[in-house]
C-alpha cells in the first residue's frame, strides 16, 4: 500500500472508532432509534444527491431489493442495536466487541453460502468467539441495570453485519459504491422514520447531543462510507478489511480522551484474542500445518 492508502486507512479507522464516542454521547438524549434515524437520514441527504449527480439513480431503482435488504442488515438494525448498547457499556467496550464482525461474516459465509473454511480459518473462528466470551464474562448480568443484554445487542449487530456482507457479496458485487452507500442509508431512514417519530424525546436534546448526531451522520457515515468504498475499489477486500484491527484502538482512545472511560487489562486481552481470531478467520494470518507423514 502507498502512504496515501495507509493514511486513508488510519483516517477511516479513526472515523468509525469515533462513531462509538458520538453514539455514547448522544444516545441518552435522543434515544437509540431517533438518533440512528438522524444518522442514516442525514447521511442519505449527502449520498443520494451524489449518486444522482453521477447518473446512477436508474441503477439504484433496478437494484432496490438487495439494496433494501443490505440497508436493513448493514445500517438500520445494527446501528440501533449498537446505539442502545452504548446506553450501558463504554464506547471502547462496544468497539472491541464489534471487531468480531469479520468472524461472524466468515461463519455466515460457511454455513449459508457454503464457503470453504480450512483448518486455519476454523481455528480463527473458535479463537475469536473465545475472545468475545472472555471479554464479556464479567458483563453477563441480565438483571435490571446489568450489561448482559447490551452484550447480546452488540453481538447481534455483528451477526447482522455478517449477513449483510455475504448478501452484498452475492447480489451487489457489480453495483456502484455510491449506490450501495447511498441506497442503504436512504432505505434505513425511510423504514426507521415512523418509529423514530413515535419515540422522539419529549425533552429537546442539548446542543452538544445535536453536534454529536450530526458528526455521526456526516463524518462517521457519509464520509466514512465513501472512503471505505474508494479503498475497497483500490485495494480489494482482503486488504481493506484490515481496518478492523484499528477501530477498537480508536474507539477506546476517543472514549478515554473525551468521556473519561477506563480501558482495563481485561478489555485489551479480550480484544487481542478477538483480533487474532479475526486475522485467522479472514485469512490475513495463516497457520502452516505439518504435512502428514507417509
Amino acid at each position: 500500500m502507498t502512504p496515501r492508502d495507509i493514511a486513508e486507512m488510519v483516517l477511516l479507522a479513526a472515523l468509525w472508532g469515533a462513531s462509538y464516542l458520538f453514539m455514547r454521547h448522544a444516545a441518552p438524549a435522543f434515544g437509540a432509534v431517533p438518533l440512528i434515524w438522524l444518522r442514516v437520514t442525514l447521511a442519505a441527504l449527502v449520498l443520494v444527491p451524489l449518486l444522482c449527480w453521477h447518473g446512477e439513480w436508474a441503477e439504484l431503482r433496478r437494484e432496490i431489493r438487495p439494496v433494501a435488504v443490505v440497508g436493513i442488515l448493514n445500517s438500520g438494525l445494527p446501528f440501533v442495536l449498537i446505539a442502545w448498547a452504548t446506553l450501558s457499556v463504554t464506547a471502547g467496550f462496544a468497539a472491541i466487541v464489534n471487531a468480531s464482525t469479520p468472524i461472524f461474516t466468515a461463519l455466515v459465509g460457511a454455513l449459508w453460502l457454503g464457503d470453504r473454511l480450512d483448518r486455519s480459518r476454523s481455528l480463527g473462528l473458535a479463537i475469536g468467539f473465545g475472545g468475545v466470551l472472555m471479554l464479556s464474562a464479567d458483563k453477563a448480568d441480565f438483571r435490571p441495570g446489568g450489561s448482559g443484554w447490551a452484550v447480546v445487542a452488540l453481538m447481534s449487530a455483528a451477526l447482522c453485519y455478517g449477513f449483510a456482507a455475504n448478501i452484498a457479496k452475492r447480489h451487489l458485487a457489480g453495483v456502484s459504491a455510491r449506490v450501495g452507500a447511498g441506497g442503504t442509508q436512504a432505505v434505513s431512514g425511510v423504514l426507521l422514520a415512523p418509529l423514530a417519530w413515535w419515540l422522539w424525546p419529549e425533552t429537546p436534546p442539548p446542543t452538544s447531543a445535536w453536534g454529536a448526531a450530526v458528526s455521526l451522520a456526516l463524518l462517521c457515515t457519509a464520509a466514512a462510507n465513501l472512503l471505505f468504498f474508494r479503498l475497497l475499489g483500490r485495494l480489494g477486500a482482503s486488504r481493506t478489511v484490515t481496518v478492523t484491527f484499528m477501530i477498537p484502538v480508536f474507539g477506546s482512545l476517543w472514549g478515554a480522551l473525551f468521556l473519561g472511560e477506563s480501558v482495563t487489562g481485561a478489555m485489551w486481552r479480550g480484544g487481542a484474542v478477538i483480533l487474532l481470531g479475526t486475522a485467522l478467520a479472514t485469512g490475513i494470518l495463516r497457520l502452516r500445518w505439518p504435512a502428514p507423514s507417509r
Side-chain angles (χ1 to χ4, degrees):
M1 292 188 288
T2 66
R4 176 187 173 187
D5 294 332
I6 295 172
E8 290 186 358
M9 290 276 284
V10 173
L11 175 59
L12 179 59
L15 289 173
W16 274 345
S19 67
Y20 299 94
L21 164 69
F22 293 134
M23 284 188 283
R24 175 75 169 157
H25 181 76
F30 282 98
V33 176
L35 173 63
I36 298 309
W37 175 75
L38 278 174
R39 175 181 185 176
V40 297
T41 300
L42 292 177
L45 291 176
V46 174
L47 295 171
V48 172
L50 187 62
L51 71 88
C52 291
W53 175 265
H54 286 83
E56 296 168 338
W57 177 253
E59 183 179 3
L60 174 59
R61 293 181 59 186
R62 187 171 61 252
E63 303 292 344
I64 190 60
R65 289 185 179 180
V67 166
V69 174
V70 172
I72 295 168
L73 293 174
N74 198 59
S75 297
L77 182 55
F79 286 176
V80 169
L81 289 170
I82 295 170
W84 181 80
T86 59
L87 293 172
S88 53
V89 298
T90 65
F93 180 87
I96 292 172
V97 173
N98 208 233
S100 63
T101 293
I103 296 172
F104 282 96
T105 303
L107 181 63
V108 170
L111 297 180
W112 184 34
L113 300 182
D115 290 349
R116 181 179 174 274
L117 292 177
D118 56 24
R119 285 190 290 177
S120 181
R121 294 184 68 193
S122 298
L123 178 62
L125 290 178
I127 291 174
F129 282 118
V132 173
L133 294 176
M134 179 191 307
L135 182 66
S136 308
D138 63 339
K139 296 187 179 294
D141 182 359
F142 293 93
R143 292 173 296 181
S147 302
W149 289 115
V151 174
V152 172
L154 291 170
M155 294 181 67
S156 299
L159 180 61
C160 287
Y161 286 138
F163 274 106
N166 282 283
I167 293 171
K169 177 182 176 181
R170 192 168 189 176
H171 297 287
L172 296 178
V175 173
S176 160
R178 286 179 293 269
V179 169
T184 54
Q185 304 309 308
V187 167
S188 297
V190 171
L191 294 178
L192 289 175
L195 189 57
W197 295 339
W198 182 46
L199 296 175
W200 194 262
E202 295 181 2
T203 303
T207 303
S208 61
W210 276 103
V214 172
S215 299
L216 179 66
L218 300 185
L219 298 177
C220 305
T221 310
N225 268 285
L226 290 174
L227 187 58
F228 170 73
F229 282 112
R230 186 167 69 182
L231 285 167
L232 195 65
R234 203 159 64 224
L235 302 179
S238 61
R239 290 186 177 181
T240 306
V241 78
T242 58
V243 72
T244 303
F245 294 89
M246 294 184 284
I247 293 173
V249 176
F250 280 104
S252 300
L253 176 63
W254 300 144
L257 287 177
F258 296 104
L259 299 177
E261 296 177 352
S262 60
V263 182
T264 65
M267 287 173 61
W268 285 121
R269 289 191 295 271
V273 174
I274 291 172
L275 294 180
L276 173 61
T278 298
L280 290 168
T282 56
I284 295 173
L285 177 65
R286 291 186 178 276
L287 297 180
R288 299 289 183 181
W289 302 92
S293 58
R294 294 179 179 270

